[in-house]
Amino acid sequence: MGQKVPGGIKTIDMRDPAFSPLKLELQALSHTKPARLDLLLDMPPASLEVQVQHSWNNDDRSLNIFVKDDNKLVFHRHPVAQSTDAIRGRVGYTRGLHVWEISWAMRQRGTHAVVGVATGDAPLHSVGYTALVGNNTESWGWDLCRSKLYHDGKNHPGKTYPAFLEPDDTFIIPDSLLVVLDMDEGTLGYIVDGQYLGVAFRGLKGRKLYPVVSAVWGHCEIRIRYINGLDPEPLPLMDLCRRSVRVALGRDRLSEIHGLPLPASLKNYLLYQ
């Protein structure tokens, strides 16, 4: 359902050495990311139990979608022609910093594949193929096929994202990406291949927002995996010190914590054990 995006568009794959100069553009976007994002991503991921609590809501979906019985993190879309279908997550967020991973195979995206957030009032079905998430005032989404951001898309054109792309460029997005929702700052952003792509949307404070995707491809299966969240309260000094030690060592040398002249309890704390 839904065919490939028409040709004539320059595609940018950041894994291609030819586009290495653009990585400097990406690095320049790092200063816009939420202050506590690095700390959250350094934490151990949420348990499977917590991931299920934050997974797709089988009671809040288009009827052309169902959550799989054998994997509550994954939904399946029926091959219904001329239909765009969406599903919300179980949990709506009003405060804190939250990150979740969306796994969506590139070959299963079709013409419209949108990832974002929505209020509880956003529609979850539309006739025809469209960027359903973001075409109204109740949702905000990134169309992975066009590298465009949409909000109230019926009245406003999409904006190119990441911001350094030319209007006719399309950004190659791999099978998985991270969504970064900061309800304390009221921003939404995305991470691809470990690179924060900058703030996509602002002005989200004061709402209750749910993870959402809209899809058109028949038999596509999309997984959501809640990574973790942080409350808005100031972080304890111990947590900040742990983060400083782990940054100083680097991710590839964390195993060397075992060799530090420290009490076992402190070593365990540094390793989140």
Side-chain angles (χ1 to χ4, degrees), residues 33 51 53 65 94 124 128 167-168 171 190 211 228 241 270:
K33 64 185 175 183
Q51 292 176 27
Q53 292 172 358
I65 282 174
T94 59
L124 298 177
D168 291 332
F171 193 68
Y190 300 87
N228 229 317
C241 291
L270 292 174

Side-chain angles (χ1 to χ4, degrees), residues 20 55-56 96 179:
S20 57
S55 63
W56 301 124
V179 183

Side-chain angles (χ1 to χ4, degrees), residues 135-157:
N135 79 343
N136 51 75
T137 60
E138 301 297 326
S139 59
W140 298 256
W142 185 24
D143 188 333
L144 307 185
C145 303
R146 292 167 180 76
S147 305
K148 297 288 187 181
L149 299 173
Y150 293 104
H151 173 63
D152 194 15
K154 290 181 179 179
N155 299 307
H156 301 282

